[in-house]
Amino acid sequence: MDNNKIRLFEDRRVRTAWDEEREEWLFSVVDTVEVLTGTDNPRRYWSDLKRKLKTEGSQLYEKIVQLKLKAADGKRYDTDVANAEQLLRIIQSIPSPKAEPFKMWLARVGSERIDETIDPELTIDRALETYLKKGYSREWINQRLQAIQVRKELTDEWDDRGIQKGIEYAILTDEISKAWSGMTTRQYKNYKGLKKENLRDNMSTLELVLNMLAEATTTELAKAHDARGLSENQQVARRGGKVAGNARKEIETDTGKPVITAQNAVDFSKLISNVIEGSADNENK
């Protein structure tokens, strides 16, 4: 846990911590309550809100954990923290003008997801629009969308071969990553200074192409050798990754430059303000 981070919300501070194991940010609930309500007693407000949520049948409070976060006096005290999903649920129960943009955003996102369930093609359109807004080139976006398809074909193949989603997916993905890049997925993300961000969204075009080559090759090898279970698919994943790893080494020999860089493309530090500004703009319109 890294418990020393501070997020600025307008001119107010919200203490945060990064959970390395679960790969998610945790936010101080009392800080968030204070920012959104302007109350002089955020702890009392949160205490009353917890009781209200409980009477409504919410099990949210049972999932809230405590961490020792540094207070204004420099000492660390046990503090209720929530992940993004839990925090957004809390915000839904706060009657405040500052909370309204979050509620508007959640309503819009929910409506979009319902539309996408009815018409899945909208998901692709949304992804394209999102990448364009983040400043990616159309050439990179085309590669990224193709990479999503390649990954889907690989995971479908794993499903057919008895691989379990979650930990076994992660094990095989790490095998592929180590074989072509020399790093596990977590090491690769650390190298680029990433936490919650998607690794592929922070790859250069060449990195993305080599990762696709590794995954596509692994898919074909699994079919050719009829790999079954985790052990056999681990061997296939290493061989698939090695094909892309050899290509990486040849490129680096010819160019004299490393293919893998520490550069990343996405900065989520302004996520909260962007949500508020975007929702406020829509509301004004």
Side-chain angles (χ1 to χ4, degrees):
M1 281 289 187
D2 182 352
N3 299 342
N4 298 315
K5 298 296 183 182
I6 297 291
R7 290 287 178 270
L8 291 178
F9 184 100
E10 297 177 343
D11 60 342
R12 311 296 290 275
R13 293 170 177 260
V14 175
R15 290 167 293 171
T16 67
W18 173 249
D19 188 328
E20 187 74 31
E21 182 178 351
R22 296 187 180 183
E23 295 191 352
E24 63 181 8
W25 284 106
L26 299 174
F27 304 83
S28 165
V29 178
V30 291
D31 290 357
T32 305
V33 166
E34 183 178 13
V35 166
L36 293 178
T37 65
T39 177
D40 293 329
N41 194 340
R43 295 185 183 279
R44 175 62 182 272
Y45 191 104
W46 171 226
S47 178
D48 292 342
L49 183 57
K50 282 189 288 189
R51 285 195 293 271
K52 178 175 180 292
L53 289 168
K54 189 173 183 179
T55 59
E56 293 175 350
S58 173
Q59 297 179 342
L60 175 67
Y61 179 63
E62 298 175 6
K63 301 177 182 178
I64 296 293
V65 298
Q66 287 192 331
L67 293 177
K68 287 189 177 296
L69 300 184
K70 187 182 293 184
D73 61 6
K75 298 180 181 179
R76 293 181 180 273
Y77 300 95
D78 288 335
T79 306
D80 284 352
V81 294
N83 62 22
E85 179 182 349
Q86 295 161 350
L87 194 70
L88 289 170
R89 174 61 187 90
I90 292 169
I91 291 172
Q92 286 177 309
S93 296
I94 295 178
S96 165
K98 289 186 177 181
E100 188 60 23
F102 286 96
K103 298 177 185 179
M104 293 288 293
W105 175 70
L106 286 170
R108 187 172 72 250
V109 170
S111 177
E112 289 172 354
R113 295 303 179 273
I114 292 173
D115 291 342
E116 289 165 7
T117 301
I118 298 172
D119 182 3
E121 187 175 333
L122 293 175
T123 304
I124 299 175
D125 295 337
R126 181 172 59 85
L128 176 61
E129 182 180 358
T130 299
Y131 282 127
L132 286 171
K133 286 181 178 179
K134 288 182 177 180
Y136 291 101
S137 68
R138 288 189 176 273
E139 293 76 15
W140 184 94
I141 294 172
N142 289 334
Q143 292 290 348
R144 182 67 180 95
L145 295 179
Q146 186 176 352
I148 293 173
Q149 179 60 31
V150 169
R151 176 68 179 180
K152 181 64 168 58
E153 291 173 358
L154 175 60
T155 55
D156 284 348
E157 197 66 31
W158 284 345
D159 286 341
D160 293 341
R161 299 183 179 282
I163 303 303
Q164 299 297 313
K165 293 181 180 178
I167 184 63
E168 291 190 349
Y169 269 31
I171 290 171
L172 295 181
T173 300
D174 275 347
E175 292 288 2
I176 295 171
S177 181
K178 284 189 293 185
W180 87 261
S181 71
M183 294 179 282
T184 64
T185 303
R186 182 68 263 171
Q187 289 169 339
Y188 205 155
K189 292 181 75 171
N190 287 342
Y191 182 65
K192 286 181 172 289
L194 306 175
K195 290 189 180 295
K196 187 69 173 177
E197 302 91 333
N198 186 291
L199 176 59
R200 292 174 180 82
D201 283 354
N202 289 273
M203 288 182 174
S204 67
T205 300
L206 189 51
E207 286 174 290
L208 202 56
V209 168
L210 287 172
N211 193 69
M212 278 196 293
L213 174 61
E215 293 192 330
T217 303
T218 300
T219 301
E220 293 305 312
L221 290 176
K223 293 178 181 177
H225 297 281
D226 193 23
R228 297 288 171 180
L230 180 60
S231 179
E232 291 184 10
N233 277 281
Q234 277 184 282
Q235 297 176 33
V236 167
R238 294 187 196 109
R239 294 203 297 272
K242 185 178 179 180
V243 170
N246 291 336
R248 174 179 66 83
K249 292 173 184 176
E250 288 187 22
I251 293 170
E252 291 176 337
T253 298
D254 281 353
T255 63
K257 299 177 182 179
V259 167
I260 299 172
T261 73
Q263 294 179 340
N264 60 67
V266 182
D267 180 8
F268 283 92
S269 63
K270 296 183 179 180
L271 175 62
I272 299 297
S273 60
N274 286 343
V275 166
I276 289 185
E277 290 172 4
S279 297
D281 289 342
N282 287 334
E283 189 174 2
N284 289 335
K285 289 178 183 179

